[in-house]
Amino acid sequence: NTTAEKMLGYSKAEMVTLDDWFSLTRAGDMAAANQARSEYEAMRRQGFQHNFMRELTRKDGTTRIVEVAAFVDEVGEVWLLHDLTDRLASDEKFRILFEQSKQAHVLIADHGIIDANQAALDMFGCVSRSQLIGRQPSAFSPEYQPDGTRSEDKCFTVNEAARRKGHHRFEWVHQSIK
């Protein structure tokens, strides 16, 4: 379809058969095309039980990371392509900024901390992330924060604000885990 044409740069006339698809999206590398075709055949025999990711080559030579959801119904075989390239690049940039930041950053979900950067580990006196993962910030805080709010209550309040806005910046008094 036209979306696949835009994603990969090939016209419908250039990509008529599955062999065209496998050859063109592997930049003419027939060994890679044959391997991809074999994987496709095996997944088709199993009924396309899982989505999968593939690196595909565009007509201009650039590559895209694409998630493929495929299924067979009474009409025929359907492939849904989702280009993940930009999102994965963004995720990688976030990961680098998160890890390299000199500021302490902690990611928190309902069940507690899900990640922390090295600056946060240093601040809390932790040797590894496992000392923080799954714990609520109130677990290593004094009973009350400087504003007089109980740490457990303030933890709930700031978590709610973060969920509503997608992020939340706040000051917190903590104790070292050591």
Side-chain angles (χ1 to χ4, degrees):
N1 66 21
T2 55
T3 302
E5 286 179 315
K6 288 177 188 173
M7 182 187 299
L8 298 170
Y10 294 105
S11 69
K12 292 176 192 175
E14 292 172 291
M15 209 175 275
V16 176
T17 68
L18 277 176
D19 289 330
D20 295 337
W21 167 266
F22 290 115
S23 174
L24 293 172
T25 61
R26 299 327 183 272
D29 179 343
M30 290 315 293
N34 290 335
Q35 175 67 30
R37 178 71 184 237
S38 294
E39 291 170 359
Y40 157 78
E41 295 292 346
M43 287 186 280
R44 189 173 200 286
R45 279 192 300 277
Q46 296 171 6
F48 298 115
Q49 296 175 0
H50 307 285
N51 293 358
F52 53 95
M53 286 193 334
R54 291 293 182 268
E55 184 174 297
L56 303 177
T57 303
R58 290 177 39 87
K59 187 174 184 174
D60 65 10
T62 60
T63 58
R64 304 303 290 176
I65 308 290
V66 177
E67 179 182 37
V68 181
F71 59 93
V72 178
D73 65 13
E74 61 279 348
V75 177
E77 188 171 297
V78 177
W79 295 4
L80 303 174
L81 306 177
H82 185 101
D83 190 339
L84 301 176
T85 309
D86 295 336
R87 192 193 89 206
L88 293 173
S90 177
D91 289 353
E92 181 61 19
K93 286 176 189 173
F94 166 78
R95 174 58 52 193
I96 291 167
L97 289 171
F98 178 78
E99 290 297 330
Q100 301 302 315
S101 177
K102 299 298 180 203
Q103 297 287 326
H105 295 285
V106 182
L107 302 179
I108 304 171
D110 288 338
H111 62 279
I113 294 172
I114 59 174
D115 203 357
N117 67 355
Q118 187 61 49
L121 297 180
D122 295 343
M123 181 180 73
F124 290 119
C126 296
V127 176
S128 72
R129 282 179 173 85
S130 63
Q131 291 175 279
L132 290 177
I133 304 301
R135 296 178 71 184
Q136 291 290 341
S138 59
F140 39 92
S141 303
E143 185 176 357
Y144 290 94
Q145 291 296 305
D147 66 0
T149 306
R150 289 188 62 231
S151 289
E152 269 187 50
D153 297 336
K154 188 165 187 166
C155 183
F156 176 78
T157 303
V158 296
N159 283 346
E160 281 299 310
R163 270 192 284 283
R164 248 189 347 270
K165 297 188 302 185
H167 62 87
H168 187 57
R169 185 180 178 101
F170 58 94
E171 291 188 22
W172 189 269
V173 173
H174 62 84
Q175 300 169 328
S176 176
I177 290 184
K178 290 182 186 178

